[in-house]
Coordinates of all heavy atoms in Angstrom, one line a residue:
M138 N 2.7 12.0 9.4 CA 1.7 13.0 9.6 C 0.4 12.4 9.7 O 0.0 11.5 9.0 CB 1.9 14.0 8.4 CG 1.2 13.6 7.1 SD 1.4 14.7 5.8 CE 2.9 13.9 5.1
K139 N -0.5 13.1 10.5 CA -1.8 12.6 10.7 C -2.8 13.6 10.1 O -2.7 14.8 10.2 CB -2.1 12.4 12.2 CG -1.3 11.3 12.8 CD -1.8 11.0 14.1 CE -1.0 9.9 14.8 NZ -1.1 8.6 14.2
I140 N -3.8 13.1 9.4 CA -4.8 13.9 8.7 C -6.2 13.4 9.1 O -6.4 12.2 9.1 CB -4.7 13.8 7.2 CG1 -3.3 14.2 6.7 CG2 -5.8 14.6 6.5 CD1 -3.0 14.0 5.3
E141 N -7.1 14.3 9.5 CA -8.5 14.0 9.8 C -9.2 13.5 8.5 O -9.1 14.1 7.5 CB -9.2 15.1 10.3 CG -8.8 15.6 11.7 CD -9.6 16.8 12.1 OE1 -10.8 16.7 12.1 OE2 -9.0 17.8 12.4
T142 N -9.8 12.3 8.6 CA -10.3 11.7 7.4 C -11.5 12.3 6.8 O -11.7 12.5 5.6 CB -10.6 10.2 7.6 OG1 -11.5 10.1 8.7 CG2 -9.4 9.4 7.8
K143 N -12.5 12.7 7.6 CA -13.8 13.3 7.1 C -13.5 14.6 6.3 O -14.0 14.7 5.1 CB -14.8 13.6 8.2 CG -15.2 12.4 9.0 CD -16.4 11.7 8.3 CE -16.8 10.6 9.2 NZ -17.6 9.6 8.5
P144 N -12.8 15.6 6.8 CA -12.6 16.8 6.0 C -11.7 16.5 4.7 O -11.9 17.1 3.7 CB -11.9 17.8 6.9 CG -11.8 17.2 8.2 CD -12.3 15.8 8.1
F145 N -10.7 15.6 4.9 CA -9.9 15.3 3.8 C -10.7 14.6 2.7 O -10.5 14.8 1.5 CB -8.7 14.4 4.2 CG -7.7 14.1 3.2 CD1 -7.1 15.2 2.5 CD2 -7.3 12.8 2.9 CE1 -6.1 14.9 1.5 CE2 -6.3 12.6 1.9 CZ -5.7 13.6 1.2
A146 N -11.5 13.6 3.1 CA -12.4 12.9 2.1 C -13.3 13.9 1.4 O -13.6 13.8 0.2 CB -13.2 11.8 2.8
K147 N -13.9 14.9 2.1 CA -14.7 15.9 1.5 C -14.0 16.7 0.5 O -14.5 17.0 -0.6 CB -15.3 16.8 2.6 CG -16.3 17.8 2.1 CD -17.0 18.6 3.2 CE -18.0 19.6 2.6 NZ -18.6 20.4 3.7
A148 N -12.8 17.1 0.8 CA -11.9 17.9 -0.1 C -11.6 17.1 -1.3 O -11.6 17.6 -2.5 CB -10.7 18.4 0.6
L149 N -11.3 15.8 -1.2 CA -11.0 14.9 -2.3 C -12.2 14.8 -3.2 O -12.1 14.9 -4.4 CB -10.6 13.5 -1.8 CG -9.1 13.3 -1.4 CD1 -9.0 11.9 -0.8 CD2 -8.2 13.5 -2.6
N150 N -13.4 14.7 -2.6 CA -14.6 14.6 -3.4 C -14.9 15.9 -4.2 O -15.3 15.8 -5.4 CB -15.8 14.3 -2.5 CG -16.1 12.8 -2.5 OD1 -15.9 12.1 -3.4 ND2 -16.6 12.4 -1.3
I151 N -14.7 17.0 -3.6 CA -14.9 18.3 -4.3 C -13.9 18.4 -5.5 O -14.3 18.8 -6.6 CB -14.7 19.5 -3.3 CG1 -15.9 19.5 -2.3 CG2 -14.7 20.8 -4.0 CD1 -15.7 20.4 -1.1
A152 N -12.6 18.2 -5.2 CA -11.7 18.3 -6.3 C -11.9 17.2 -7.4 O -11.7 17.5 -8.6 CB -10.2 18.2 -5.7
A153 N -12.4 16.0 -7.0 CA -12.6 15.0 -8.0 C -13.8 15.3 -8.8 O -13.9 14.7 -9.9 CB -12.8 13.7 -7.2
G154 N -14.6 16.2 -8.4 CA -15.8 16.5 -9.2 C -15.5 17.0 -10.6 O -16.3 16.9 -11.5
V155 N -14.4 17.6 -10.8 CA -14.0 18.2 -12.1 C -13.2 17.1 -12.9 O -13.0 17.2 -14.1 CB -13.2 19.5 -12.0 CG1 -11.8 19.2 -11.5 CG2 -13.2 20.2 -13.3
I156 N -12.6 16.1 -12.2 CA -11.8 15.1 -12.9 C -12.7 14.1 -13.6 O -13.6 13.5 -13.1 CB -10.9 14.4 -11.9 CG1 -10.0 15.4 -11.2 CG2 -10.2 13.2 -12.5 CD1 -9.2 14.8 -10.0
E157 N -12.4 14.0 -14.9 CA -13.2 13.0 -15.7 C -12.8 11.6 -15.4 O -11.7 11.3 -15.0 CB -12.9 13.3 -17.2 CG -13.4 14.6 -17.7 CD -13.1 14.8 -19.2 OE1 -12.9 13.8 -19.9 OE2 -13.2 16.0 -19.6
R158 N -13.8 10.7 -15.4 CA -13.6 9.3 -15.0 C -12.6 8.6 -16.0 O -11.9 7.7 -15.6 CB -14.9 8.6 -14.9 CG -15.7 9.1 -13.7 CD -17.0 8.4 -13.6 NE -17.9 9.0 -12.6 CZ -17.9 8.8 -11.3 NH1 -17.0 7.9 -10.8 NH2 -18.7 9.4 -10.5
R159 N -12.7 8.9 -17.2 CA -11.9 8.3 -18.2 C -11.0 9.4 -18.9 O -11.6 10.3 -19.4 CB -12.7 7.6 -19.3 CG -13.4 6.4 -18.8 CD -14.2 5.7 -19.9 NE -14.8 4.5 -19.4 CZ -15.0 3.4 -20.1 NH1 -14.6 3.4 -21.3 NH2 -15.6 2.4 -19.5
N160 N -9.7 9.2 -18.8 CA -8.8 10.2 -19.4 C -7.8 9.5 -20.3 O -7.3 8.4 -20.0 CB -8.0 10.9 -18.3 CG -8.8 12.0 -17.7 OD1 -9.1 12.9 -18.4 ND2 -9.1 11.9 -16.4
T161 N -7.5 10.1 -21.4 CA -6.4 9.6 -22.3 C -5.0 10.1 -21.7 O -4.1 9.5 -22.1 CB -6.6 10.1 -23.7 OG1 -6.7 11.5 -23.7 CG2 -7.9 9.6 -24.3
I162 N -5.0 11.1 -20.9 CA -3.8 11.5 -20.2 C -3.9 11.1 -18.8 O -4.7 11.7 -18.0 CB -3.6 13.0 -20.3 CG1 -3.7 13.5 -21.8 CG2 -2.4 13.5 -19.7 CD1 -3.8 15.0 -22.0
P163 N -3.2 10.1 -18.3 CA -3.3 9.5 -17.0 C -3.2 10.5 -15.8 O -4.0 10.4 -14.8 CB -2.2 8.4 -16.9 CG -2.0 8.1 -18.3 CD -2.2 9.3 -19.1
I164 N -2.4 11.5 -15.9 CA -2.2 12.4 -14.8 C -3.4 13.2 -14.5 O -3.7 13.7 -13.4 CB -0.9 13.3 -15.0 CG1 -0.5 14.0 -13.7 CG2 -1.2 14.3 -16.1 CD1 0.0 13.1 -12.7
L165 N -4.3 13.4 -15.5 CA -5.5 14.1 -15.3 C -6.6 13.4 -14.5 O -7.6 13.9 -14.1 CB -6.1 14.5 -16.7 CG -5.3 15.6 -17.5 CD1 -6.0 15.9 -18.8 CD2 -5.1 16.8 -16.7
G166 N -6.3 12.1 -14.2 CA -7.2 11.3 -13.4 C -6.8 11.4 -11.9 O -7.3 10.7 -11.1
A167 N -5.8 12.2 -11.6 CA -5.3 12.3 -10.3 C -5.6 13.7 -9.7 O -5.8 14.6 -10.3 CB -3.8 12.0 -10.2
A168 N -5.5 13.7 -8.3 CA -5.7 15.0 -7.6 C -4.4 15.3 -6.9 O -3.7 14.4 -6.4 CB -6.8 14.9 -6.6
K169 N -4.0 16.5 -6.9 CA -2.7 17.0 -6.3 C -3.0 17.4 -4.8 O -4.0 18.1 -4.6 CB -2.1 18.2 -7.0 CG -0.9 18.7 -6.4 CD -0.4 19.9 -7.2 CE 0.8 20.6 -6.6 NZ 1.2 21.8 -7.3
V170 N -2.2 16.9 -3.9 CA -2.4 17.3 -2.5 C -1.1 18.0 -2.0 O 0.0 17.5 -2.3 CB -2.6 16.1 -1.6 CG1 -2.7 16.5 -0.1 CG2 -3.8 15.3 -2.0
E171 N -1.3 19.2 -1.5 CA -0.1 20.0 -1.0 C -0.5 20.7 0.3 O -1.6 20.9 0.6 CB 0.3 21.0 -2.1 CG -0.7 22.0 -2.4 CD -0.3 22.9 -3.6 OE1 0.9 23.3 -3.6 OE2 -1.1 23.2 -4.4
H172 N 0.6 21.0 1.0 CA 0.5 21.8 2.3 C 1.1 23.1 2.0 O 2.3 23.2 1.6 CB 1.2 21.0 3.4 CG 1.2 21.8 4.7 ND1 2.4 22.3 5.2 CD2 0.3 22.2 5.5 CE1 2.1 23.0 6.3 NE2 0.8 22.9 6.5
R173 N 0.4 24.1 2.3 CA 0.9 25.5 2.1 C 1.3 26.0 3.5 O 0.4 26.0 4.4 CB -0.1 26.4 1.5 CG -0.3 25.9 0.1 CD -1.0 27.0 -0.8 NE -1.2 26.5 -2.1 CZ -2.3 26.8 -2.8 NH1 -3.2 27.6 -2.4 NH2 -2.4 26.3 -4.1
A174 N 2.5 26.5 3.7 CA 3.0 26.9 5.0 C 2.2 28.1 5.5 O 2.2 28.4 6.7 CB 4.5 27.2 4.9
D175 N 1.7 29.0 4.6 CA 1.0 30.2 5.0 C -0.4 29.9 5.6 O -1.1 30.8 6.1 CB 0.9 31.2 3.8 CG 0.1 30.6 2.6 OD1 0.0 29.4 2.5 OD2 -0.3 31.4 1.8
S176 N -0.9 28.7 5.5 CA -2.2 28.3 6.1 C -2.1 26.9 6.7 O -1.3 26.1 6.3 CB -3.3 28.3 5.0 OG -3.1 27.3 4.1
D177 N -2.9 26.7 7.7 CA -2.9 25.4 8.3 C -3.9 24.5 7.6 O -5.0 24.1 8.2 CB -3.3 25.5 9.8 CG -2.2 26.1 10.6 OD1 -1.0 26.1 10.2 OD2 -2.5 26.7 11.7
A178 N -3.7 24.2 6.3 CA -4.6 23.5 5.5 C -3.9 22.7 4.5 O -2.8 23.0 4.0 CB -5.6 24.4 4.9
L179 N -4.5 21.6 4.1 CA -4.1 20.8 2.9 C -5.0 21.3 1.7 O -6.2 21.6 1.9 CB -4.4 19.3 3.0 CG -3.7 18.6 4.1 CD1 -4.2 17.2 4.2 CD2 -2.2 18.6 3.8
I180 N -4.3 21.6 0.6 CA -5.0 22.0 -0.6 C -5.1 20.8 -1.6 O -4.0 20.3 -1.9 CB -4.3 23.2 -1.3 CG1 -4.1 24.3 -0.3 CG2 -5.1 23.7 -2.5 CD1 -5.3 24.9 0.3
V181 N -6.3 20.5 -2.0 CA -6.5 19.4 -2.9 C -6.9 20.0 -4.2 O -7.9 20.7 -4.3 CB -7.5 18.3 -2.4 CG1 -7.7 17.2 -3.4 CG2 -7.1 17.8 -1.0
T182 N -6.2 19.7 -5.3 CA -6.5 20.3 -6.6 C -6.8 19.2 -7.6 O -6.2 18.2 -7.8 CB -5.3 21.1 -7.1 OG1 -4.9 22.0 -6.1 CG2 -5.6 21.8 -8.4
G183 N -7.9 19.5 -8.4 CA -8.3 18.6 -9.5 C -8.5 19.5 -10.7 O -8.9 20.6 -10.6
T184 N -8.2 18.9 -11.9 CA -8.4 19.7 -13.2 C -8.8 18.8 -14.3 O -8.5 17.6 -14.3 CB -7.2 20.5 -13.5 OG1 -7.4 21.3 -14.7 CG2 -6.0 19.6 -13.8
D185 N -9.5 19.4 -15.3 CA -9.7 18.7 -16.6 C -9.1 19.5 -17.7 O -9.4 19.3 -18.9 CB -11.2 18.4 -16.8 CG -12.0 19.7 -17.0 OD1 -11.4 20.8 -16.9 OD2 -13.2 19.6 -17.2
L186 N -8.2 20.4 -17.4 CA -7.5 21.3 -18.3 C -8.4 22.5 -18.7 O -7.9 23.5 -19.2 CB -6.9 20.7 -19.5 CG -5.7 19.7 -19.2 CD1 -5.2 19.1 -20.5 CD2 -4.6 20.4 -18.5
D187 N -9.7 22.4 -18.6 CA -10.6 23.5 -18.9 C -11.0 24.3 -17.6 O -11.2 25.5 -17.5 CB -11.9 23.1 -19.6 CG -11.6 22.7 -21.0 OD1 -10.8 23.2 -21.6 OD2 -12.3 21.7 -21.4
C188 N -11.0 23.5 -16.5 CA -11.4 24.0 -15.2 C -10.5 23.5 -14.1 O -10.1 22.3 -14.2 CB -12.9 23.6 -15.0 SG -13.6 24.2 -13.4
I189 N -10.2 24.3 -13.1 CA -9.4 23.9 -11.9 C -10.3 24.0 -10.7 O -10.8 25.1 -10.5 CB -8.1 24.7 -11.8 CG1 -7.2 24.4 -13.0 CG2 -7.4 24.3 -10.5 CD1 -6.0 25.3 -13.0
V190 N -10.3 23.0 -9.9 CA -11.1 23.1 -8.6 C -10.1 22.8 -7.5 O -9.4 21.9 -7.5 CB -12.3 22.1 -8.6 CG1 -12.9 22.1 -7.2 CG2 -13.3 22.4 -9.6
Q191 N -10.1 23.7 -6.5 CA -9.3 23.5 -5.3 C -10.2 23.4 -4.0 O -11.2 24.2 -3.9 CB -8.3 24.6 -5.1 CG -7.2 24.6 -6.1 CD -6.1 25.5 -5.8 OE1 -6.3 26.6 -5.3 NE2 -4.8 25.1 -6.1
A192 N -9.9 22.5 -3.1 CA -10.7 22.4 -1.9 C -9.6 22.3 -0.8 O -8.5 21.8 -1.0 CB -11.6 21.2 -1.9
S193 N -10.0 22.6 0.4 CA -9.0 22.6 1.5 C -9.6 21.7 2.7 O -10.8 21.6 2.8 CB -8.7 24.0 2.0 OG -9.8 24.6 2.6
A194 N -8.6 21.2 3.4 CA -9.0 20.5 4.7 C -8.0 20.9 5.7 O -6.8 21.1 5.4 CB -8.8 18.9 4.4
P195 N -8.4 21.0 7.0 CA -7.5 21.5 8.0 C -6.4 20.5 8.2 O -6.5 19.3 8.1 CB -8.4 21.5 9.3 CG -9.6 20.7 9.0 CD -9.8 20.7 7.5
Y196 N -5.2 21.1 8.5 CA -4.0 20.3 8.8 C -3.0 21.1 9.6 O -2.7 22.2 9.2 CB -3.3 19.8 7.4 CG -2.0 19.1 7.6 CD1 -2.0 17.8 8.1 CD2 -0.8 19.8 7.4 CE1 -0.7 17.2 8.3 CE2 0.4 19.2 7.5 CZ 0.4 17.9 8.0 OH 1.6 17.3 8.2
K197 N -2.6 20.5 10.7 CA -1.6 21.1 11.5 C -0.5 20.1 11.8 O -0.7 19.1 12.5 CB -2.1 21.6 12.8 CG -3.1 22.8 12.7 CD -3.6 23.3 14.0 CE -4.6 24.4 13.8 NZ -5.0 25.1 14.9
G198 N 0.6 20.2 11.0 CA 1.6 19.2 11.2 C 2.8 19.7 10.4 O 2.9 20.8 9.9
A199 N 3.7 18.7 10.2 CA 5.0 19.0 9.5 C 4.7 19.2 8.0 O 3.8 18.6 7.4 CB 5.9 17.8 9.7
A200 N 5.6 20.0 7.4 CA 5.5 20.2 6.0 C 5.9 18.9 5.2 O 6.6 18.1 5.8 CB 6.5 21.3 5.6
F201 N 5.4 18.8 4.0 CA 5.7 17.6 3.2 C 5.7 18.1 1.7 O 5.0 19.0 1.4 CB 4.8 16.5 3.5 CG 3.3 16.8 3.3 CD1 2.8 16.7 2.0 CD2 2.6 17.2 4.3 CE1 1.4 17.0 1.8 CE2 1.2 17.5 4.1 CZ 0.7 17.4 2.8
P202 N 6.3 17.3 0.8 CA 6.3 17.7 -0.6 C 4.9 17.4 -1.1 O 4.2 16.5 -0.7 CB 7.3 16.8 -1.2 CG 7.5 15.6 -0.2 CD 7.2 16.2 1.1
P203 N 4.5 18.1 -2.2 CA 3.2 17.8 -2.8 C 3.2 16.4 -3.4 O 4.2 15.8 -3.8 CB 3.1 18.8 -4.0 CG 4.1 19.9 -3.7 CD 5.1 19.2 -2.8
F204 N 2.0 15.7 -3.4 CA 1.9 14.4 -4.0 C 0.6 14.2 -4.7 O -0.3 15.1 -4.6 CB 2.1 13.3 -2.9 CG 1.1 13.3 -1.9 CD1 -0.1 12.5 -2.0 CD2 1.2 14.1 -0.7 CE1 -1.0 12.5 -1.0 CE2 0.2 14.1 0.3 CZ -0.9 13.3 0.2
M205 N 0.5 13.2 -5.6 CA -0.7 13.0 -6.3 C -1.5 11.7 -5.8 O -0.8 10.8 -5.4 CB -0.4 12.7 -7.8 CG 0.4 13.8 -8.5 SD -0.4 15.4 -8.6 CE -1.6 15.1 -9.9
I206 N -2.8 11.8 -5.9 CA -3.6 10.6 -5.5 C -4.4 10.2 -6.8 O -5.2 11.0 -7.2 CB -4.6 11.0 -4.4 CG1 -3.8 11.2 -3.1 CG2 -5.6 9.8 -4.2 CD1 -4.7 11.5 -1.9
N207 N -4.1 9.1 -7.3 CA -4.9 8.5 -8.4 C -6.2 8.1 -7.9 O -6.4 7.5 -6.9 CB -4.1 7.3 -9.1 CG -2.9 7.8 -9.9 OD1 -3.0 8.8 -10.5 ND2 -1.9 7.1 -9.8
N208 N -7.2 8.2 -8.8 CA -8.6 7.9 -8.5 C -9.1 8.4 -7.1 O -9.4 7.7 -6.2 CB -8.8 6.3 -8.5 CG -10.2 5.9 -8.6 OD1 -11.1 6.7 -8.5 ND2 -10.4 4.6 -8.8
P209 N -9.1 9.8 -7.0 CA -9.4 10.4 -5.7 C -10.8 10.0 -5.2 O -11.0 10.0 -4.0 CB -9.3 11.9 -6.0 CG -9.4 12.0 -7.5 CD -8.9 10.7 -8.0
R210 N -11.8 9.7 -6.1 CA -13.1 9.3 -5.6 C -13.1 8.1 -4.8 O -13.7 8.0 -3.7 CB -14.1 9.1 -6.8 CG -14.5 10.4 -7.4 CD -15.5 10.1 -8.6 NE -15.9 11.3 -9.3 CZ -15.2 11.8 -10.3 NH1 -14.1 11.2 -10.8 NH2 -15.6 12.9 -10.9
A211 N -12.3 7.1 -5.2 CA -12.2 5.8 -4.5 C -11.5 6.1 -3.1 O -11.9 5.5 -2.1 CB -11.4 4.8 -5.3
F212 N -10.5 6.9 -3.1 CA -9.8 7.2 -1.8 C -10.7 7.9 -0.9 O -10.7 7.7 0.3 CB -8.5 7.9 -2.1 CG -7.3 7.1 -2.4 CD1 -6.9 6.8 -3.7 CD2 -6.6 6.4 -1.4 CE1 -5.9 6.0 -4.0 CE2 -5.6 5.6 -1.7 CZ -5.2 5.4 -3.0
A213 N -11.5 8.8 -1.4 CA -12.5 9.6 -0.6 C -13.4 8.7 0.1 O -13.8 8.8 1.3 CB -13.2 10.7 -1.4
Q214 N -13.9 7.7 -0.7 CA -14.9 6.7 -0.1 C -14.2 5.9 1.0 O -14.7 5.6 2.0 CB -15.5 5.8 -1.2 CG -16.5 6.5 -2.1 CD -17.0 5.6 -3.2 OE1 -16.4 4.6 -3.4 NE2 -18.1 6.1 -3.8
L215 N -13.0 5.4 0.7 CA -12.2 4.7 1.6 C -12.0 5.4 2.9 O -12.2 4.9 4.0 CB -10.9 4.2 1.0 CG -9.9 3.4 1.8 CD1 -10.5 2.0 2.1 CD2 -8.6 3.3 1.2
F216 N -11.5 6.7 2.8 CA -11.2 7.5 4.0 C -12.5 7.8 4.8 O -12.4 7.9 6.0 CB -10.5 8.8 3.6 CG -9.2 8.6 3.0 CD1 -8.7 9.5 2.1 CD2 -8.4 7.5 3.3 CE1 -7.4 9.4 1.5 CE2 -7.1 7.3 2.7 CZ -6.6 8.3 1.8
S217 N -13.6 8.0 4.2 CA -14.8 8.3 4.9 C -15.4 7.1 5.6 O -16.3 7.3 6.5 CB -15.8 9.0 4.0 OG -16.3 8.0 3.0
M218 N -15.0 5.9 5.3 CA -15.6 4.7 6.0 C -14.9 4.3 7.2 O -15.5 3.6 8.1 CB -15.6 3.6 5.0 CG -16.6 3.6 3.9 SD -16.6 2.1 3.1 CE -15.8 2.5 1.6
G219 N -13.6 4.6 7.4 CA -12.8 4.1 8.4 C -12.6 4.9 9.6 O -13.4 5.6 10.1
A220 N -11.3 5.0 10.0 CA -10.9 5.7 11.2 C -11.1 7.2 11.1 O -11.3 7.7 10.0 CB -9.4 5.4 11.4
T221 N -10.9 7.9 12.2 CA -11.1 9.3 12.2 C -9.8 10.0 11.7 O -9.9 11.2 11.3 CB -11.4 9.8 13.6 OG1 -10.4 9.5 14.5 CG2 -12.7 9.3 14.1
E222 N -8.7 9.3 11.7 CA -7.4 9.9 11.2 C -6.7 8.9 10.4 O -6.8 7.7 10.6 CB -6.5 10.3 12.4 CG -6.9 11.5 13.1 CD -5.9 11.9 14.1 OE1 -5.1 11.1 14.6 OE2 -5.8 13.1 14.5
I223 N -6.0 9.4 9.4 CA -5.1 8.5 8.6 C -3.7 9.0 8.9 O -3.4 10.2 9.1 CB -5.4 8.5 7.1 CG1 -5.4 9.9 6.5 CG2 -6.7 7.8 6.8 CD1 -5.5 9.9 5.0
D224 N -2.7 8.1 8.8 CA -1.3 8.4 9.0 C -0.6 8.3 7.7 O -0.6 7.2 7.1 CB -0.7 7.5 10.0 CG 0.6 7.9 10.5 OD1 1.0 9.1 10.4 OD2 1.3 7.1 11.1
L225 N 0.0 9.4 7.2 CA 0.7 9.4 5.9 C 2.2 9.4 6.3 O 2.7 10.1 7.2 CB 0.5 10.6 5.1 CG -0.9 10.7 4.4 CD1 -1.1 12.1 3.8 CD2 -1.0 9.7 3.4
T226 N 3.0 8.6 5.6 CA 4.4 8.6 5.8 C 5.1 8.6 4.4 O 4.5 8.1 3.4 CB 4.9 7.3 6.5 OG1 4.5 6.1 5.8 CG2 4.4 7.3 7.9
E227 N 6.2 9.2 4.3 CA 7.0 9.2 3.0 C 8.1 8.2 3.1 O 8.8 8.1 4.1 CB 7.6 10.6 2.8 CG 8.3 10.7 1.5 CD 9.0 12.1 1.3 OE1 8.9 12.9 2.1 OE2 9.6 12.2 0.2
E228 N 8.1 7.4 2.1 CA 9.1 6.3 2.1 C 9.6 6.1 0.6 O 8.8 5.8 -0.3 CB 8.5 5.0 2.6 CG 9.5 3.9 2.8 CD 8.8 2.6 3.3 OE1 8.2 2.7 4.4 OE2 8.9 1.6 2.7
D229 N 10.9 6.3 0.4 CA 11.5 6.2 -0.9 C 10.8 7.1 -1.9 O 10.5 6.7 -3.1 CB 11.5 4.8 -1.4 CG 12.3 3.8 -0.5 OD1 13.3 4.3 0.0 OD2 11.9 2.7 -0.3
G230 N 10.4 8.3 -1.5 CA 9.8 9.2 -2.4 C 8.3 9.0 -2.7 O 7.7 9.7 -3.5
L231 N 7.7 8.0 -2.0 CA 6.3 7.7 -2.1 C 5.6 8.0 -0.8 O 6.1 7.8 0.3 CB 6.1 6.2 -2.5 CG 6.7 5.7 -3.8 CD1 6.6 4.2 -3.9 CD2 6.1 6.4 -5.0
M232 N 4.3 8.5 -0.9 CA 3.5 8.7 0.3 C 2.7 7.4 0.5 O 2.1 6.9 -0.4 CB 2.6 9.9 0.1 CG 3.3 11.2 -0.2 SD 4.4 11.7 1.2 CE 3.3 12.2 2.4
K233 N 2.8 6.9 1.7 CA 2.0 5.7 2.1 C 1.0 6.0 3.2 O 1.3 6.7 4.1 CB 3.0 4.6 2.5 CG 4.0 4.2 1.4 CD 4.8 3.1 1.7 CE 5.7 2.7 0.6 NZ 6.3 1.4 0.7
F234 N -0.1 5.3 3.0 CA -1.2 5.5 4.0 C -1.1 4.3 5.0 O -0.8 3.2 4.7 CB -2.6 5.4 3.4 CG -2.8 6.5 2.4 CD1 -2.6 6.4 1.0 CD2 -3.2 7.8 2.8 CE1 -2.8 7.4 0.1 CE2 -3.4 8.8 2.0 CZ -3.2 8.6 0.6

């Protein structure tokens, strides 16, 4: 699946805004990415258990299972520096860029 990097990086940054940099619970340092069939968008979710933030990025492609991105701020910076699209593939239950 192909995703436009600029809107995806922006959505990651927005969701990462609520995620604390240091967590005693590792999963709270990650952002959830999912595709909802009822909209042509990726939904990126971040939480600190007190607050939940969701942001969306346009996506028109095949459905895929939800996945987590650890350290979403770093990925947002990486995605905003390079190509206009990234290609995600699922391999052995893992999403690979």
Side-chain angles (χ1 to χ4, degrees):
M138 79 187 91
K139 293 190 183 291
I140 300 171
E141 292 179 54
T142 54
K143 298 271 184 200
F145 187 53
K147 185 176 179 181
L149 277 172
N150 267 326
I151 291 168
V155 74
I156 297 172
E157 294 180 19
R158 293 182 189 271
R159 293 181 175 213
N160 277 298
T161 56
I162 305 170
I164 195 68
L165 293 178
K169 179 182 175 185
V170 179
E171 61 186 319
H172 173 249
R173 295 195 181 145
D175 59 341
S176 68
D177 290 335
L179 295 175
I180 307 299
V181 182
T182 305
T184 185
D185 66 357
L186 292 182
D187 289 325
C188 181
I189 296 174
V190 173
Q191 290 188 323
S193 64
Y196 172 74
K197 293 184 181 185
F201 58 87
F204 63 94
M205 304 297 286
I206 294 182
N207 285 322
N208 196 354
R210 285 181 185 88
F212 276 98
Q214 288 178 346
L215 177 68
F216 294 152
S217 65
M218 285 191 256
T221 59
E222 288 186 334
I223 54 171
D224 192 18
L225 286 174
T226 56
E227 183 181 2
E228 187 176 306
D229 298 326
L231 299 173
M232 298 302 286
K233 297 188 178 194
F234 298 98

